[in-house]
C-alpha cells in the first residue's frame, strides 16, 4: 500500500465515522426531545449518569429497547471509536509495508486506547 | 429551563465556540467548557465530558480534509501519540480525583495562555538544520507540498518533544480539551517542524488523544448524552463553517475579540475556583 493510498483510506474512514455518529446522535436527540422536551434540564449539580449509559453492552441493550438517550450515547460511542479504527487501520498498513518499528509504535497506542475503552475505573 | 429550551441554547453557544475556535485555530473545546460553566452554570464535570466528545468530532472532521492535502505527517503523529495517549490516561485519572475548584483554576490558567496565544498570531518558522538521530531512526523527517514542488524538512529535539506531548496529553485528559495550542508549540517551536505540518499533524493527533481519555470519562458517568448531543452537533457545525471561511480577511480582528472573551472567561473560572463556587 502506498502512503497516498493510506492517506485516502484514512481520510474516508474519518469522515464516514463523523457523519455516521452525528446522524445517530441527531436522530436520538430529536426523538428524545419529542418525548422528554418539557422535562426540566438541570446540570448544575453533578450526578454520574446511570450505569446503563456507561458501557458498550449497556448502551446497545438500552438503545435496542428504544431508550433514545442510549441512542445518543451509541452515536457518541461510534464517534469515540472513529480514531480507534484509524489507529487499527494504520496498524494493518504498517504491517503490509513491513515497517515493524511502526507496527510496534501503533500497537502501543492501540493498546492504550483499548485499555481506556474496556472499562478501567 | 426545559430540555426544549436548554438544548437549542447549548447548540447555539457551542456553534459560536466551534466557529471562533476554527477561525482562530485554537479549537472549540477550549471555549465550550467555560461557556457552559460560566454562562449556564453547568457542573464542570458534565461540561468536560461533553467538550471532550466534541473535540473528537471536530478534529476527525478536519483531519479528513487535511490528510488529503498532504501536509499531515502520519509517522510523526503516530510516534507522538504514544506520549499524548499515555498523558491523556493520566489526565483523566487525575480529573476524577481532583476537586472541581482545582480543575476550574487550571482551566482558567490554560485559557489565559490561549488568550495570549490568540492575540499574538502564529510565530515565524525556524527550520531545523541538523537532523536528530532519533528522527532519522524513526523516519520522522518528511516533505510537504509547495508551489515549487515538495520541500523536505528535518525534525529535531525528539526527546523533549515527546516530553511536552505527554504534558499536552495530560492537560487534554484533565480538562477535556484538544490541547492543540500546546501540541503545535511542541512541534513548531521545539521540534522545528514547519508550521503548516505542525498544525495539521496536531489536529490529526487530537482525536486519538481525546479518545484515550473519553473511554475513562464514559465509564465514570461524565458523558451525559442529552447535554453532549447539542454540544457535539453545535461545535461540529460551527467549526465546519469556520474552516470554510478561514481565508477571510477579518481574522485579525476576530483573534482580538476571541482573546478578550477568553481572558474574561479565564478570570471568571479562576475566581470561582478560588472561591470554591464551582
Amino acid at each position: 500500500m502506498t502512503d497516498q493510498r493510506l492517506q485516502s483510506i484514512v481520510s474516508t474512514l474519518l469522515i464516514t465515522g463523523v457523519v455516521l455518529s452525528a446522524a445517530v446522535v441527531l436522530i436520538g436527540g430529536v426523538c428524545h426531545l419529542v418525548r422528554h422536551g418539557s422535562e426540566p434540564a438541570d446540570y448544575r449539580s453533578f450526578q454520574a449518569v446511570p450505569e446503563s449509559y456507561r458501557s458498550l453492552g449497556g448502551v446497545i441493550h438500552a438503545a435496542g429497547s428504544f431508550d433514545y438517550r442510549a441512542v445518543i450515547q451509541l452515536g457518541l460511542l461510534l464517534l469515540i471509536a472513529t480514531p480507534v479504527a484509524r489507529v487499527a487501520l494504520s496498524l494493518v498498513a504498517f504491517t503490509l509495508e513491513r515497517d515493524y518499528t511502526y507496527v510496534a509504535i501503533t500497537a502501543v497506542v492501540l493498546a492504550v486506547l483499548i485499555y481506556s475503552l474496556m472499562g478501567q475505573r | 429551563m426545559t430540555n426544549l429550551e436548554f438544548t437549542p441554547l447549548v447548540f447555539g453557544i457551542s456553534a459560536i465556540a466551534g466557529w471562533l475556535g476554527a477561525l482562530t485555530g485554537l479549537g472549540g473545546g477550549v471555549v465550550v467548557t467555560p461557556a457552559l460553566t460560566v454562562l449556564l452554570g453547568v457542573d464542570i464535570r458534565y461540561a468536560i465530558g461533553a467538550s471532550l466528545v466534541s473535540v473528537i468530532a471536530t478534529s476527525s472532521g478536519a483531519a479528513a480534509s487535511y490528510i488529503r492535502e498532504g501536509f499531515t505527517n502520519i509517522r510523526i503523529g503516530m510516534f507522538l501519540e504514544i506520549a499524548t495517549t499515555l498523558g491523556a490516561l493520566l489526565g483523566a485519572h487525575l480529573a476524577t480525583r481532583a476537586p472541581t475548584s482545582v480543575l476550574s483554576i487550571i482551566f482558567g490558567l490554560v485559557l489565559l495562555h490561549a488568550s495570549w496565544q490568540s492575540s499574538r498570531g502564529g510565530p515565524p518558522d525556524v527550520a531545523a538544520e541538523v537532523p536528530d538521530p532519533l528522527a532519522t531512526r524513526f523516519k520522522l523527517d518528511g516533505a510537504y507540498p509547495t508551489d515549487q514542488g515538495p520541500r523536505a524538512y528535518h525534525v529535531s529535539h525528539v526527546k523533549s518533544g515527546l516530553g511536552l506531548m505527554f504534558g499536552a496529553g495530560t492537560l487534554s485528559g484533565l480538562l477535556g480539551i484538544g490541547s492543540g495550542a500546546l501540541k503545535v508549540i511542541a512541534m513548531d517551536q521545539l521540534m522545528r517542524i514547519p508550521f503548516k505540518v505542525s498544525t495539521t499533524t496536531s489536529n490529526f493527533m487530537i482525536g486519538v488523544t481525546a479518545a484515550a481519555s473519553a473511554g475513562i470519562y464514559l465509564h465514570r458517568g461524565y458523558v451525559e448524552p442529552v447535554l453532549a448531543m447539542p454540544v457535539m452537533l453545535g461545535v461540529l457545525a460551527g467549526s465546519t463553517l469556520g474552516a470554510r471561511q478561514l481565508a477571510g480577511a477579518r481574522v485579525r480582528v476576530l483573534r482580538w475579540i476571541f482573546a478578550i472573551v477568553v481572558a474574561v472567561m479565564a478570570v471568571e473560572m479562576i475566581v470561582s475556583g478560588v472561591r470554591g463556587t464551582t
Side-chain angles (χ1 to χ4, degrees):
Chain A
M1 197 186 312
T2 62
D3 271 15
Q4 221 157 28
R5 179 108 185 87
L6 174 64
Q7 286 172 357
S8 163
I9 297 174
V10 167
S11 174
T12 310
L13 174 85
L14 291 176
I15 202 78
T16 310
V18 172
V19 170
L20 192 68
S21 62
V24 174
V25 167
L26 183 65
I27 292 168
V30 170
C31 292
H32 179 83
L33 282 184
V34 167
R35 199 188 276 177
H36 301 282
S38 53
E39 288 170 21
D42 186 14
Y43 302 103
R44 279 169 196 279
S45 59
F46 179 76
Q47 214 183 350
V49 304
E51 202 69 42
S52 57
Y53 304 119
R54 297 201 219 166
S55 65
L56 183 61
V59 168
I60 290 176
H61 185 260
S65 49
F66 293 96
D67 174 346
Y68 294 122
R69 218 169 142 202
V71 175
I72 302 174
Q73 201 76 322
L74 187 65
L76 299 178
L77 276 169
L78 276 175
L79 184 65
I80 298 173
T82 301
V84 183
R86 190 271 278 172
V87 174
L89 183 71
S90 308
L91 186 67
V92 175
F94 287 129
T95 309
L96 291 178
E97 280 181 32
R98 294 170 199 275
D99 186 340
Y100 296 115
T101 312
Y102 272 86
V103 170
I105 289 171
T106 312
V108 171
V109 174
L110 193 59
V112 172
L113 291 173
I114 291 172
Y115 165 85
S116 161
L117 286 171
M118 284 303 138
Q120 289 298 321
R121 306 237 160 143
Chain B
M1 227 185 290
T2 67
N3 277 327
L4 217 48
E5 294 159 353
F6 190 75
T7 303
L9 188 62
V10 172
F11 179 88
I13 289 174
S14 306
I16 295 170
W19 181 69
L20 279 174
L23 282 178
T24 53
L26 283 166
V30 79
V31 216
V32 160
T33 297
L36 290 177
T37 55
V38 172
L39 298 178
L40 298 175
V42 171
D43 186 283
I44 191 167
R45 286 162 288 191
Y46 283 133
I48 287 176
S51 129
L52 191 61
V53 174
S54 74
V55 162
I56 302 179
T58 48
S59 88
S60 301
S65 48
Y66 288 147
I67 290 171
R68 284 183 197 274
E69 289 172 20
F71 287 99
T72 313
N73 186 321
I74 294 185
R75 281 203 165 76
I76 294 181
M78 232 29 264
F79 180 75
L80 295 175
E81 274 165 12
I82 292 185
T84 62
T85 50
L86 286 173
L89 284 188
L90 174 69
H93 279 294
L94 288 177
T96 52
R97 281 165 183 79
T100 52
S101 54
V102 172
L103 288 182
S104 189
I105 293 169
I106 299 175
F107 210 118
L109 294 175
V110 170
L111 284 176
L112 277 183
H113 176 260
S115 162
W116 176 70
Q117 184 93 352
S118 176
S119 65
R120 221 171 43 128
D125 271 340
V126 192
E129 304 282 316
V130 193
D132 184 325
L134 274 177
T136 315
R137 190 167 152 219
F138 287 103
K139 291 176 273 190
L140 300 181
D141 298 337
Y144 64 96
T146 65
D147 295 338
Q148 294 89 38
R151 182 176 296 169
Y153 56 86
H154 290 302
V155 177
S156 63
H157 299 95
V158 173
K159 270 190 205 153
S160 8
L162 272 175
L164 203 49
M165 282 298 171
F166 183 80
T170 308
L171 271 185
S172 165
L174 185 66
L175 306 176
I177 59 177
S179 274
L182 193 53
K183 287 189 175 90
V184 171
I185 291 173
M187 285 195 274
D188 177 62
Q189 301 290 291
L190 189 63
M191 303 175 75
R192 304 283 164 86
I193 300 167
F195 190 65
K196 181 86 189 184
V197 178
S198 297
T199 51
T200 54
T201 306
S202 148
N203 179 76
F204 177 71
M205 296 163 61
I206 285 173
V208 168
T209 311
S213 46
I216 294 173
Y217 277 103
L218 194 96
H219 296 303
R220 296 258 168 100
Y222 282 42
V223 182
E224 165 54 61
V226 183
L227 177 69
M229 180 249 303
V231 173
M232 176 227 169
L233 295 175
V235 173
L236 190 60
S239 62
T240 307
L241 188 72
R244 291 208 176 143
Q245 298 177 316
L246 202 54
R250 258 172 281 170
V251 170
R252 256 185 103 158
V253 182
L254 268 173
R255 278 186 165 277
W256 276 102
I257 298 173
F258 187 78
I260 294 163
V261 171
V262 169
V264 170
M265 290 196 292
V267 172
E268 192 69 44
M269 288 199 84
I270 293 170
V271 167
S272 68
V274 170
R275 281 197 192 143
T277 51
T278 40

